[in-house]
Amino acid sequence: MDNYSLETNCLHAGYHPGNGEPRVLPITQSTTFKYDSTEQMGRLFALQEAGYFYTRLANPTCDAVAAKIAALEGGAGGVLTASGQAAIFFAIMNICESGDHFISASALYGGTFNLFSVTLKKMGVSVTFIPPDSDEDTIKAAVKPNTKLVYGETVANPALNILDIETFAKAAHDCGLPLFVDNTFPTPVLCRPFEWGADIVIHSTTKYMDGHATSVGGCIVDSGRFDWNAYPERFRGLTQADDSYHGVVYTRDFGKVAFITKVTAQLMRDLGSSPAPMNAFLLNLGLETLHLRVPRHAQNALAVAIFLKNHPKVSWVKCPALEGDTQYGLSCKYLPNGVPGVLSFGVVGGREAAVSFMDALHLASIATHVCDARTCVLHPASHTHRQLSEEALEIAGVRSDMIRLSVGIEGINDIICDLDQALSFV
Ligand SMILES: *Cc1c(COP(=O)(O)O)cnc(C)c1O
């Protein structure tokens, strides 16, 4: 889009109505699209012409929202999926098949950890977890002949490790591999991983992008910069003919949007995970105020972190924006305008005290959610990460006394008063 600022793109990117057309992005609530000739419909199916024919593959409302997110990230193209999990799965399976391998920073969202360590393994795709603070040599040492990509979360949920994107990108690129980054927590308002060398960005749009806890969704964005053709054997699915499309070669025929076109035309076609157009519409409403909400989340979270740090009943606080935090240096580099509104802490008295505290909250709600406009809390060890063994919890960076607090955009004094009164029950 014409070099508009991020703020303007939050409102305008992706949808440009013509004369007399609806000002607000229309919800194209239709499974199918009508054509006058069999010939034209045939060209669409052969990917020789761009257009819509069935919402399982693509839909105008969803495409407009994907284009907006791609503009916000500074990418060449994007695609929406029905959930963040689907976005991660499709992004990986777009270049991996049975027998392949990838490398991931171990500090991950619980669902991603299970996807990688259990479900992808069953499908024959193996992963090596490396420490999130690995240096270039450690990353490179994990590369095998069948490795296809390196993966990490910009700000890990819930461990809050910050990925040194530049180091990971350099190590990956030196080995001819793309870096995939889950940028769910910062959103492009706080960090744009492509500017630091990432190649594919993934989002659970369920979090800040939607922002109001209405719709589960995901998005994959491609920077358009990774040269798949430089390693034609490694990325055969992109560089060689797709028999299911009469010999389409994605890199040859679609250039910078090869990766996204393959996800859409092949994986969405075969596995089916497109969001409802109505959900894409709701996501778009959230995106229109993303640039206003995310900085307020960051500001409130820092105030809460400072309050907790000074409270006698709080044993530890993890917030990358706090001076002295292990991630403070990386947060200054990658998140100079503030950190996501999610922080974690422990209360004096461990697991049981944590439960008493949570049950005494009035304003903050216990919810399996983060990055909502409303403040919410969760106990990862008994909720999101419940399936993980003590050892796996440790690898994922989750302590059993950890309370995860997602700071909302309510009045900061109300949030702090609520935490204060609940801490008196500890
Ligand atoms: C929530 C989340 C996911 C999963 O997304 P869903 O939309 O719930 O499927 C993936 N990564 C991160 C960092 C998340 O916070």
Side-chain angles (χ1 to χ4, degrees), residues 336-349:
N337 299 318
V339 299
V342 182
L343 48 88
S344 54
F345 63 100
V347 285
V348 176

Side-chain angles (χ1 to χ4, degrees), residues 81-88 108-112 151 153-158 182-186 202-207 215-219 368-371 404:
T81 55
S83 69
Q85 287 297 114
I88 298 164
L108 291 171
Y109 173 65
T112 306
Y151 189 99
E153 294 180 1
T154 317
V155 177
N157 173 10
D182 179 334
N183 197 37
T184 297
F185 267 25
I202 297 161
H203 282 281
S204 164
T205 62
T206 317
K207 312 296 165 54
S215 318
V216 171
C219 187
T368 308
H369 195 46
V370 284
C371 315
R404 188 179 61 179

Side-chain angles (χ1 to χ4, degrees), residues 130-311:
I130 57 172
D133 57 355
S134 292
D135 60 13
E136 263 182 67
D137 291 342
T138 313
I139 301 164
K140 288 180 183 173
V143 175
K144 303 179 186 184
N146 58 343
T147 303
K148 294 295 167 82
L149 65 106
V150 179
Y151 189 99
E153 294 180 1
T154 317
V155 177
N157 173 10
L160 303 180
N161 290 80
I162 296 173
L163 192 73
D164 188 345
I165 304 173
E166 246 181 349
T167 299
F168 270 66
K170 177 153 191 319
H173 295 164
D174 282 354
C175 301
L177 301 170
L179 175 65
F180 287 22
V181 171
D182 179 334
N183 197 37
T184 297
F185 267 25
T187 82
V189 173
L190 297 179
C191 178
R192 286 177 296 284
F194 293 152
E195 293 173 1
W196 299 101
D199 302 288
I200 301 290
V201 158
I202 297 161
H203 282 281
S204 164
T205 62
T206 317
K207 312 296 165 54
Y208 288 120
M209 285 193 169
D210 170 289
H212 304 79
T214 70
S215 318
V216 171
C219 187
I220 306 170
V221 183
D222 182 3
S223 71
R225 287 204 297 260
F226 191 83
D227 186 6
W228 311 105
N229 275 323
Y231 315 95
E233 272 309 308
R234 187 171 298 150
F235 304 111
R236 279 191 305 274
L238 285 160
T239 60
Q240 294 181 12
D242 180 350
D243 291 336
S244 70
Y245 275 113
H246 310 293
V248 157
V249 177
Y250 293 101
T251 46
R252 182 195 66 200
D253 300 340
F254 298 99
K256 284 192 180 312
V257 290
F259 188 92
I260 294 296
T261 306
K262 181 171 178 288
V263 171
T264 306
Q266 192 188 70
L267 298 185
M268 295 296 251
R269 178 196 63 189
D270 296 352
L271 300 168
S273 176
S274 56
M278 178 72 197
N279 280 11
F281 173 84
L282 292 169
L283 168 58
N284 187 51
L285 288 185
L287 290 169
E288 290 187 354
T289 56
L290 190 70
H291 60 300
L292 299 175
R293 291 183 288 105
V294 167
R296 180 57 71 87
H297 280 286
Q299 193 184 319
N300 280 358
L302 181 57
V304 166
I306 291 167
F307 162 77
L308 291 173
K309 200 175 163 66
N310 294 323
H311 200 289

Side-chain angles (χ1 to χ4, degrees), residues 89 111-125:
F89 176 60
T112 306
F113 192 87
N114 284 331
L115 171 66
F116 289 1
S117 57
V118 179
T119 302
L120 286 183
K121 193 171 158 196
K122 282 189 202 158
M123 295 177 163
V125 176

